[in-house]
Each structure stands twice: as structure tokens, then as C-alpha cells.
Amino acid sequence: MKLTATREDFLAPLQSVIGVVERRQTMPVLANVLLAARDGRLHTTGTDLEVELVAASTVNVQQPGDITVPGRKLLDIFRALPEKTNVTLSTEGERVSVRAGRSRFTLSSLPAAEFPLVEEINAQQTLSIPQGEFRRLIDKTHFSMAQQDVRYYLNGLLIETDGKALRAVATDGHRLALCEMELAAGKAKGAHQVIVPRKGVLELQRILGTEGNIELAVGTNHVRAQIGDIRFTSKLIDGRFPEYSRVIPSNPPRPVEADRETLKQALQRTAILSNEKYRGIRLTVRPDLLTLQAHNPEQEEAEDQVEVSYKGEEVEIGFNVNYLLDALSAIDGDRVEIGLTDSNSSCLVHAPGILHTLYFVMPMRL
């Protein structure tokens, strides 16, 4: 194999796939990237057996071929080279040579045949949707995914469609985030539901942009997305996601409306003296006034007050302040509505009048 291109034509695809490449792996070949050169194109592939990323770039191919090279070392080499340098990459026996100006690097390699690839995914559902809209679904929900929960189906993001809308839902058992977008008529073929693992969601979020469309294909065991010159493939979590619609209060009887940024800043101030482990904060809502209180094992206390729009009876309720802050940070607009039922029921957080993005937070005892 022999090919020539600018530093940037090698660097850009490497940066796109390196997120799934680790230096220490149970299989040595997984620390490598697969370089496949033919027909004027270089396809760079990285995988950790759960997520696969393939990025394509245009190069001058003198001799086509496939080889695997240590991914992190190759990335460090291209990062260290001067901008717009012409680089020649070639195989010399079982070694790979990288030449750029007066610089020369020789890297070890492993046969391309040892590199595990995901071939066809037997797509049952295909969608072409605006990239920016799909990114919004992930941005507004991903932070509610569980981390290393024994309920493995919570360690990912639910992506579902009912034929009319595409919806993303994440929950860790203490809070839930939901965001949806409408689909054009005929875009989806009936109802479909899959759970994308946490690693896949975070990699997808990293490579998604805001322009153009994303081609989404869902198979029985994998989901695949084509984003420009990058192809993303992830295994799916085999499990049943909770029936989340049952736990979302449809119309809480005590809505509290506030300025989003003012409330967020008050929560951040009060949280300074909250219990570092449990992060509990007490909310007391009275007509037109919300009082925030926190204390910790050192007997330190914090209190703050925020003017709100509320006309009901007094309610006192405790929450994990981080969950409220995450929801407030994800909401668009200047105002926020927190729907309360009573001291023992979860609250519903959303922008007033907007129900396509919802946050559901369970109370905690203080």
C-alpha cells in the first residue's frame, strides 16, 4: 500500500474515529485503526467492538491496500507535523512508513484480516432527518442516562418512533428526560424502539453537526448513521426500556413559573452548602415566592429566595439539586415551569407551553 495526501486529509478522519480506540485492549488489534486505500479514497476505521466509526477522505492512491496501525501514535504523529505538509504513507513488509519533509516514522502493524468489522446490519427502519434536529434530541436527553447501573437497559438512550414523531428518552431511575421531533408524512414505517448504549450515544453526539441530513438505519442488533463522510455503527442494548409514559405527570395541579436564569443561579448558590454526597436541596413554594434551603453535616446552611408566578397553597419538597440544574440548563427560553403535585410526587420541568422537551425529577427526603 502506498498513498500521498496532505496532513489534514489524514488527520481529520483519524480525529473522527479515535474516540473508540483505546491504547490498552484485550485484543491488540483494537488499539489500531484500519486503513483501507483504493479508488482515490482512504477509509479509516476504529472500533471497540461496541461502536464502530469509519471516516473517508480523498487521497492519491499509488498502491491500494489494507493495513492496521496503532491509532493513538499515528494521531500524535499527524498532530505534530506542520500544517498542509504533504505526507506519504506506505507499507514496508510488516511495518508502516510515514514520510513528511525531513521527518520519517516507522510504525508496527497488524494484518487487516484480524480487524473486526460490522458488515450489513439488516436495516428494518431507515430515516433521513436533519442533522441539527437529531443532535437536539441527544443534547436535550443524554445527561439523564444511567452509568454502570445493574439495570443495563438504563445505561443507554431510547430512540423510538411511532410513525409520526422521533423521540429520545433517557432515565437513571431518579430522573427522566424526553425530547421529540415531528417526522414528515411517510418518513417512518410504523412503530420502532431501540436502546443505544451510552458509549455510542456520546460518540454520536461528538460527531454530529448542525448542517445537512443524517441517514439513520436501524437493524435487529445494530443502529447505523451516515453523517457526511463518517459512518457510525453501534450495537444495541437487548432489553426492555421502562414504560416511561406511566410516570410522567400529564397535568400537575400546582405549576410554578420562574425566570430560568434567575432560578438557576439561586440553585447554584444554595447548592454550595448542600450535602456533597446527596446534593439535597429543599424547595418551599408559597404564592409568588420560592425559598431554597440547603444544609450539610457540618451544620452549615444556605437560603435563597426567587420571585415566581404561583397562586396555590404552600408546598415543601426536596430534590437533588444537580438534577434540577441539568434540566434548567437544557431548557430553551427565558422562562421555566415546574409542575408540582405534592411533597411526595415528582415534578415536571419544561418551558411554558412547550411539551416536546420534558424533564421529570423524583423527590428526595431531606
Side-chain angles (χ1 to χ4, degrees):
M1 183 175 77
K2 184 176 182 181
L3 56 149
T4 305
T6 65
R7 162 191 179 265
E8 285 69 25
D9 289 331
F10 284 108
L11 183 60
L14 262 175
Q15 288 176 323
S16 297
V17 308
I18 202 66
V20 295
V21 179
E22 301 293 341
R23 282 193 174 93
R24 293 183 178 87
Q25 291 280 3
T26 52
M27 294 171 58
V29 76
L30 295 182
N32 286 13
V33 291
L34 173 66
L35 304 178
R38 56 182 55 82
D39 301 326
R41 300 281 279 175
L42 172 66
H43 290 84
T44 305
T45 305
T47 185
D48 62 0
L49 296 182
E50 185 176 82
V51 179
E52 177 190 273
L53 289 169
V54 184
S57 59
T58 301
V59 298
N60 179 12
V61 180
Q62 283 105 33
Q63 292 177 1
D66 300 350
I67 196 70
T68 78
V69 190
R72 298 279 174 179
K73 291 177 182 176
L74 191 62
L75 178 66
D76 289 344
I77 288 170
F78 285 120
R79 278 179 173 164
L81 292 174
E83 292 183 5
K84 307 206 185 305
T85 303
N86 283 325
V87 181
T88 299
L89 187 148
S90 59
T91 53
E92 298 175 357
E94 295 182 355
R95 299 272 173 175
V96 173
S97 171
V98 178
R99 297 174 183 269
R102 296 184 178 182
S103 302
R104 180 174 178 270
F105 307 88
T106 303
L107 294 165
S108 62
S109 68
L110 289 169
E114 293 183 17
F115 198 86
L117 292 171
V118 180
E119 299 299 338
E120 293 305 313
I121 66 167
N122 301 317
Q124 298 176 334
Q125 176 86 270
T126 56
L127 288 170
S128 179
I129 51 180
Q131 196 174 157
E133 285 289 291
F134 190 67
R135 183 187 176 94
R136 182 177 66 87
L137 293 188
I138 295 177
D139 287 347
K140 300 295 185 187
T141 56
H142 76 280
F143 54 83
S144 290
M145 293 185 294
Q147 298 187 51
Q148 298 179 330
D149 197 294
V150 292
R151 298 163 293 181
Y152 59 93
Y153 48 83
L154 298 184
N155 300 318
L157 184 74
L158 175 74
I159 302 289
E160 70 170 0
T161 178
D162 56 8
K164 298 177 182 178
L166 185 66
R167 191 174 299 111
V169 184
T171 181
D172 59 8
H174 303 286
R175 51 154 168 196
L176 182 145
L178 179 151
C179 187
E180 67 179 19
M181 59 174 283
E182 289 186 9
L183 293 174
K187 279 277 189 180
K189 303 172 185 175
H192 210 84
Q193 186 181 88
V194 296
I195 307 173
V196 184
R198 180 183 181 85
K199 177 73 177 284
V201 172
L202 298 180
E203 280 302 315
L204 191 53
Q205 183 187 29
R206 186 177 67 86
I207 61 177
L208 276 168
T210 56
E211 302 296 327
N213 278 12
I214 173 175
E215 307 297 324
L216 199 63
V218 180
T220 51
N221 300 310
H222 294 84
V223 61
R224 174 166 283 174
Q226 186 70 42
I227 307 162
D229 286 330
I230 302 173
R231 191 185 75 189
F232 162 93
T233 308
S234 172
K235 283 185 176 180
L236 297 172
I237 293 177
D238 183 15
R240 185 168 180 80
F241 202 78
E243 293 189 36
Y244 62 88
S245 58
R246 289 185 176 184
V247 300
I248 298 177
S250 58
N251 192 18
R254 296 183 174 89
V256 181
E257 190 175 321
D259 180 85
R260 185 180 69 86
E261 191 60 33
T262 301
L263 178 57
K264 182 179 173 183
Q265 291 176 6
L267 285 167
Q268 289 170 333
R269 288 192 296 268
T270 311
I272 294 169
L273 297 184
S274 66
N275 186 305
E276 291 184 6
K277 182 177 180 181
Y278 299 107
R279 304 294 285 166
I281 193 166
R282 179 183 287 109
L283 276 61
T284 304
V285 58
R286 303 180 181 90
D288 298 330
L289 188 67
L290 175 64
T291 301
L292 313 171
Q293 294 174 304
H295 63 271
N296 59 35
E298 287 77 40
Q299 305 300 315
E300 297 167 331
E301 296 180 356
E303 181 176 308
D304 214 319
Q305 292 184 327
V306 178
E307 291 184 5
V308 297
S309 176
Y310 176 69
K311 302 302 179 188
E313 62 187 46
E314 181 176 319
V315 178
E316 188 175 286
I317 188 168
F319 291 109
N320 181 310
V321 68
N322 290 346
Y323 296 166
L324 290 178
L325 287 171
D326 284 345
L328 290 175
S329 297
I331 287 174
D332 296 322
D334 297 330
R335 306 287 291 176
V336 62
E337 182 177 308
I338 300 176
L340 300 175
T341 301
D342 54 44
S343 299
N344 301 309
S345 299
S346 302
C347 74
L348 187 63
V349 185
H350 61 95
I354 296 177
L355 298 177
H356 57 63
T357 305
L358 302 173
Y359 300 97
F360 166 80
V361 183
M362 292 181 66
M364 65 184 296
R365 298 189 182 279
L366 298 176

